[in-house]
Amino acid sequence: MANHDPETQPLVMTLVRFALPLVSVVISLLIAFQTYATDLNVEWPEGWSSSRQPALLDAQGQPTGSRQRAVLQDKDGNQLAAMEGTRLAVPKEHAVSIENVIATMRKALQFHYAQLGLLANCTKPTETALGDLRGLQVMCTMTARGETVLKHALVTAAGGQVAYSLEYAAVPIAFSEHLQEFLQVRKLL
């Protein structure tokens, strides 16, 4: 693994640790209606440490779904990359617009990184699949002082009574080195 700029490394790891939950909260705000908890079961790649995250709660304090997070660390314990998957149950009477969800997620991510002094340049949504569901994906590149310090992929999909999101954030070299693992998780979710 290449050495990273020591000035930006702490900032990058802070971003990776806190940006993923931010976007999950955006999804829960977009689906701010009565739902029920469901489990997300992700088979994370070998070498990634995974954990269940606290359930997202609706306005009444009821669980709206489940989240799992996986982190990849180098041999010294420094975080290189993170993935987070979210599964939300959707009532039959409510339709989810993945176009609106991905647009809101992208705006929230850009705003979050701007608050941290980074410029987040994101692609327009492109069609993809999350498991066997039609989905949309956005790829974002964060820069500081003209240098790319972080890459972040956002994917969302909905089908039947379930909505999903999957995120992948990493320092640039790790992002490229572990992209196939992200694509595999996206395929199996």
Side-chain angles (χ1 to χ4, degrees):
M1 183 62 55
N3 290 332
H4 303 292
D5 178 359
E7 283 186 31
T8 61
Q9 187 67 22
L11 175 62
V12 170
M13 290 305 98
T14 298
L15 299 175
V16 171
R17 285 186 191 106
F18 296 107
L20 296 176
L22 169 79
V23 179
S24 296
V25 169
V26 170
I27 290 176
S28 69
L29 293 174
L30 289 172
I31 306 175
F33 43 78
Q34 186 64 36
T35 60
Y36 52 92
T38 56
D39 284 333
L40 174 69
N41 293 308
V42 179
E43 187 174 324
W44 298 107
E46 190 172 325
W48 290 70
S49 300
S50 65
S51 62
R52 291 200 181 277
Q53 299 297 296
L56 300 171
L57 303 176
D58 65 13
Q60 291 78 36
Q62 297 300 309
T64 60
S66 62
R67 297 186 299 150
Q68 283 188 19
R69 185 162 207 231
V71 174
L72 181 66
Q73 297 176 326
D74 66 14
K75 63 181 169 76
D76 298 323
N78 298 312
Q79 187 173 318
L80 299 174
M83 283 192 254
E84 187 168 300
T86 303
R87 182 177 195 260
L88 299 168
V90 180
K92 291 178 185 177
E93 66 275 2
H94 192 86
V96 175
S97 166
I98 61 172
E99 291 81 6
N100 290 343
V101 171
I102 198 80
T104 302
M105 289 173 70
R106 181 179 65 187
K107 287 177 188 173
L109 184 122
Q110 289 173 314
F111 179 77
H112 173 73
Y113 285 122
Q115 295 295 314
L116 296 170
L118 298 177
L119 175 63
N121 184 20
C122 300
T123 64
K124 291 183 179 181
T126 57
E127 294 213 9
T128 191
L130 195 55
D132 58 358
L133 296 175
R134 175 190 158 296
L136 292 174
Q137 176 173 290
V138 170
M139 301 292 271
C140 301
T141 302
M142 275 52 73
T143 58
R145 297 182 302 275
E147 179 185 346
T148 298
V149 295
L150 187 70
K151 291 188 175 189
H152 198 132
L154 306 170
V155 182
T156 189
Q161 278 24 87
V162 182
Y164 292 92
S165 73
L166 179 65
E167 300 177 63
Y168 171 48
V171 295
I173 291 171
F175 190 93
S176 299
E177 289 176 352
H178 299 281
L179 183 59
Q180 289 306 312
E181 293 165 308
F182 166 71
L183 297 175
Q184 186 65 21
V185 170
R186 187 181 75 187
K187 180 180 176 182
L188 297 174
L189 195 59

